């Protein structure tokens, strides 16, 4: 029984898994679609500008009153951070 081609076949399998891993890890780095449109970002900034000492849960609940699809506190936090409003 000859095993000359086993090394080549094994090499191809390992290369395939390595490339698959690189591709799947690259998929995780895609930019996520924004849950808020520009108009809603403007509303969010207006809410924060009106009441500077408002907490994140209060901002989120007031923001959800304006939205058809509610957003989480994490999304609110992400949008505030993207607008350089944090601290």
């Amino acid at each position: 029984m000859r095993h000359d081609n086993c090394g080549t076949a094994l090499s191809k399998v390992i290369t395939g898994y390595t490339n698959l891993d690189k591709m799947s890890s690259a998929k995780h780095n895609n930019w996520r679609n924004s849950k808020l449109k520009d108009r809603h970002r403007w509303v969010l900034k207006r809410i924060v500008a009106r009441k500077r000492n408002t907490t994140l849960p209060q901002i989120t609940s007031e923001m959800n009153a304006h939205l058809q699809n509610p957003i989480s506190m994490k999304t609110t936090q992400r949008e505030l951070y993207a607008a350089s409003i944090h601290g």
Side-chain angles (χ1 to χ4, degrees):
M1 206 155 85
R2 292 184 63 179
H3 296 289
D4 292 339
N5 293 334
C6 287
T8 306
L10 183 61
S11 176
K12 287 181 182 179
V13 169
I14 291 173
T15 303
Y17 275 115
T18 304
N19 290 339
L20 180 66
D21 185 42
K22 287 179 184 175
M23 287 173 36
S24 65
S25 65
K27 287 181 183 178
H28 294 293
N29 292 333
N30 286 345
W31 293 101
R32 76 177 70 225
N33 291 334
S34 178
K35 293 183 185 263
L36 295 178
K37 299 196 182 300
D38 290 337
R39 176 176 169 236
H40 297 126
R41 281 191 196 90
W42 179 80
V43 170
L44 182 61
K45 289 178 188 178
R46 193 182 75 206
I47 291 169
V48 174
R50 231 178 343 150
K51 303 173 190 171
R52 293 294 296 177
N53 294 329
T54 310
T55 63
L56 184 62
Q58 292 170 336
I59 294 170
T60 304
S61 66
E62 191 170 341
M63 189 66 192
N64 284 335
H66 293 277
L67 296 173
Q68 189 174 17
N69 297 325
I71 59 172
S72 66
M73 283 195 296
K74 184 66 179 175
T75 301
T76 305
Q77 185 177 21
R78 188 182 303 119
E79 291 292 337
L80 290 172
Y81 189 81
S84 298
I85 304 171
H86 45 82

